[in-house]
Each structure stands twice: as C-alpha cells, then as structure tokens.
Amino acid sequence: MLGYNARMHALPSSARVAALAGEATRAVAFEIVAETGSTNADLLARVATLTQPTLCWAQRQTAGRGRAGRPWLAADNGALTFSLAWKLRLPPQALSGLSLAVGVALARQLAARGVMVQLKWPNDLLRDGAKLAGILIETAADKNERGALWVVIGVGLNLAQGDALGAQLGRAVADIGQPQADREAWMAALLTGLCEMLPVFEREGFAPFAQEWNGFDAYAGCEVNILDRGEVLHHGRAAGVDETGRLLLDTEAGRIAIMAGDVSLRMAEV
Ligand code: ATP
C-alpha cells in the first residue's frame, strides 16, 4: 500500500535528474519508486543482475537502516532516501575509507549550495552538531567478475522536519531547512558528487580526500570517547583522519589510529 505522501506527490522525473546531473553520471541507470522498505536492500538483492551503475531512489522509505541494523527514519515528504550500486575493481580491504570519501563527496555538494555541514567519523553528516544525513555502505561480491565487488551506497538526507524526527528519536536531528526543496536538483547534485568521487577512489583510495575530510571534521581537537557496544575502548583528543581514513586519537599513551569497524565516536563528557 502506498503511503500518504507517495500517493499525493508525483514521482520525480528521471529525465530531469539526468538533465541536471553532470557528465560523470552518464552510465547510471535510474530507478525511481514511490515507496519501498530499503533502497539498499532492494539493490543488494539484485546486484547479480546489474549491468551498470544503478540509482534506486525511493520517495518514501519505510524500513531504512543505519549501521548495525539501527533504524533510519525518513520524514514524510521531508527526506531524500536513495542508494547507488557501483562496481569497484578492488579487494574488500581497500574499502575502509569509502564511507569517509562518500561523506566528502556529499559535503562538497551541500557546501557548494550554501548548506554548511560537518563530517563525523566514520559515516555521518552533521549540521550545527546534529545529524543531517547518514551513510550506509554494503557490499556484495560480483559473481561474474573475479576481483570485483559491488558497493551499495545508501544515503538518507533530511530536507525538512528535523525537529519532528528529533522528538521521535529523542536526539537532536538536523535538516537543510528546505521543505519545498527541488528534490530532482538535489538528487542530481549528490549523484554527480558520488559519480565523480568513485573513479578517483577506485584508482587512488581515500588519500586524495583526506585533507578535505579534515577540513569538514566536526570533532577536530575535541575530547572524545571511542565506544564498542557502549563500552569506552579509547579516550583522547580527536586529531583528524589519516590517508587511509583511520581516526587519529591523541591519548595519554600517545597517538593511536582507529579503523572504522563497529566502533562509534562520541563527544566525551568533560
Ligand atoms: P554511530 O556513531 O556509531 O554511527 P549512530 O547512532 O549515529 O551511531 P547510525 O547507524 O549511523 O548510528 O544511524 C542510526 C541512528 O540514527 C538511529 O539509531 C537513530 O538514532 C538516528 N536516526 C535515524 N533516522 C534519522 C534521521 N532521519 N536523521 C537523523 N538521525 C536519524
């Protein structure tokens, strides 16, 4: 059954998104649907049949996911929720900095349009300290090509109704403050950013994005804790990321580098 807003609002036009998007998006197949559970799940289920990079954009997503199965909510008519499936000829261990490079690609596009954001290691976009967008990357081996894998990059961006979402979630939530946003133009911009970033990442990894990531770093110089399932693993002062996307932390025992696994970064209470 279609949700209220899916019924009320015409589907975005893939022709218009294509017309507004940059050259780098030319090979992308567009799928725009009124409603689905999770755009990541939809694409992951079908990677074996994909023959080109594919964008799945749902006007309404009813079972969005964050890391570790945490829920991702989308305000009715107030969010962009989409996933991009892209084939990379890289081994799985080369993907460690990808969520950070995705953050840079999105932050660039937002900043270029006057929405100033910060990045929180490893996978969130913040505005005024609250979460504006989430990134979830999932992967699947390419059964038809040895050494290649499909990445499915899921993005949820709050366009409006951050306060209502925040009340529902019991935590601060940001939006870009544009209930009447031109979604097709935003979709085209974010897609262009991702399609420009991915070939560079495939060739050179995270290194070309590290300095820019550090320029967007929300927690630079702050006292932070690194948590694993609620337990404090490390405490120290955040010192940005290195060229592989590891978080640098100045602790009492010296500088350490932390890989993005299932650990979480939190501001320390001082
Ligand atoms: P971590 O720092 O480890 O990534 P996280 O709590 O930010 O932890 P994620 O998996 O990145 O976890 O995101 C899921 C969380 O995001 C949910 O548990 C919920 O609190 C929050 N959330 C869900 N929907 C939204 C939304 N639309 N906008 C902002 N935050 C949201």
Side-chain angles (χ1 to χ4, degrees):
M1 199 183 90
L2 292 186
Y4 172 77
N5 280 289
R7 283 200 304 269
M8 295 296 289
H9 295 273
L11 273 187
S13 150
S14 49
R16 183 156 181 267
V17 177
L20 293 170
E23 205 49 46
T25 67
R26 290 298 169 250
V28 178
F30 289 21
E31 292 175 4
I32 303 182
V33 298
E35 180 173 319
T36 193
S38 150
T39 54
N40 258 40
D42 288 357
L43 284 176
L44 270 177
R46 294 176 30 222
V47 281
T49 64
L50 299 181
T51 53
Q52 64 192 111
T54 303
L55 170 75
C56 177
W57 177 13
Q59 259 198 305
R60 185 158 185 271
Q61 194 179 236
T62 54
R65 291 176 283 131
R67 297 200 305 158
R70 289 183 284 256
W72 184 265
L73 307 185
D76 263 0
N77 200 29
L80 264 192
T81 48
F82 64 92
S83 300
L84 175 66
W86 190 281
K87 182 152 84 169
L88 289 173
R89 285 165 190 87
L90 288 174
Q93 63 273 22
L95 296 184
S96 60
L98 182 59
S99 68
L100 285 81
V102 168
V104 169
L106 301 177
R108 266 183 198 164
Q109 297 296 326
L110 285 154
R113 286 159 186 78
V115 181
M116 289 310 153
V117 299
Q118 303 90 42
L119 293 172
K120 173 179 165 249
W121 185 89
N123 68 333
D124 290 330
L125 275 79
L126 309 183
R127 189 173 184 217
D128 300 327
K131 191 135 105 171
L132 173 70
I135 297 162
L136 177 69
I137 300 183
E138 295 177 288
T139 58
D142 186 329
K143 294 204 177 80
N144 307 314
E145 188 182 335
R146 244 180 101 108
L149 47 81
W150 283 91
V151 292
V152 177
I153 300 169
V155 177
L157 169 73
N158 302 322
L159 299 172
Q161 299 183 37
D163 289 346
L165 277 177
Q168 211 174 327
L169 289 166
R171 65 192 272 183
V173 168
D175 59 46
I176 65 168
Q178 297 182 5
Q180 306 302 330
D182 181 341
R183 283 147 199 266
E184 289 153 343
W186 274 112
M187 188 65 251
L190 300 182
L191 181 65
T192 302
L194 293 174
C195 293
E196 287 174 351
M197 174 277 292
L198 283 159
V200 179
F201 185 87
E202 187 172 37
R203 272 196 318 272
E204 301 173 52
F206 178 66
F209 305 100
Q211 198 179 348
E212 206 175 342
W213 196 98
N214 285 325
F216 283 116
D217 187 354
Y219 284 18
C222 297
E223 290 280 327
V224 297
N225 290 325
I226 300 295
L227 306 182
D228 183 7
R229 277 156 281 185
E231 298 283 308
V232 178
L233 276 189
H234 303 287
H235 172 85
R237 193 172 289 277
V241 296
D242 69 9
E243 297 213 325
T244 63
R246 294 180 306 176
L247 178 75
L248 301 174
L249 198 64
D250 287 328
T251 71
E252 279 182 356
R255 177 163 289 192
I256 59 171
I258 297 160
M259 298 259 295
D262 281 332
V263 294
S264 298
L265 171 65
R266 294 285 181 274
M267 198 72 88
E269 286 173 28
V270 284

